[in-house]
Amino acid sequence: MTKQPCDSCGVPVRIGGGIGDFWSFETGSSGGMTLELADGSEFFLCFDCIERLPGEGEPTREDVEALTD
């Protein structure tokens, strides 16, 4: 099992699949995803932080940075 910290809240998030799950035989989905924004920036966010992004329009770097406030 591999974990990566959320770029917003810092919580370690499980990343499903890959060689780490091969040896442990764990199954389950990932707890987050990498978002590529319109300005070309990328952020790995947990699903809780993704849900907190504004619902209207495309999210921006400022929207992601505001999650940590």
Side-chain angles (χ1 to χ4, degrees):
M1 173 174 62
T2 302
K3 291 189 177 189
Q4 180 174 346
C6 173
D7 289 335
S8 178
C9 66
V11 171
V13 177
R14 181 185 193 285
I15 299 176
I19 193 70
D21 285 347
F22 178 77
W23 294 111
S24 68
F25 300 105
E26 283 192 45
T27 59
S29 62
S30 294
M33 62 179 11
T34 300
L35 300 180
E36 183 176 340
L37 305 182
D39 65 1
S41 60
E42 289 186 2
F43 296 94
F44 179 79
L45 299 176
C46 66
F47 290 134
D48 289 338
C49 287
I50 291 172
E51 287 182 17
R52 293 178 31 222
L53 288 170
E56 62 281 340
E58 291 190 31
T60 64
R61 173 184 290 276
E62 291 77 24
D63 293 332
V64 174
E65 291 170 352
L67 294 176
T68 59
D69 294 341

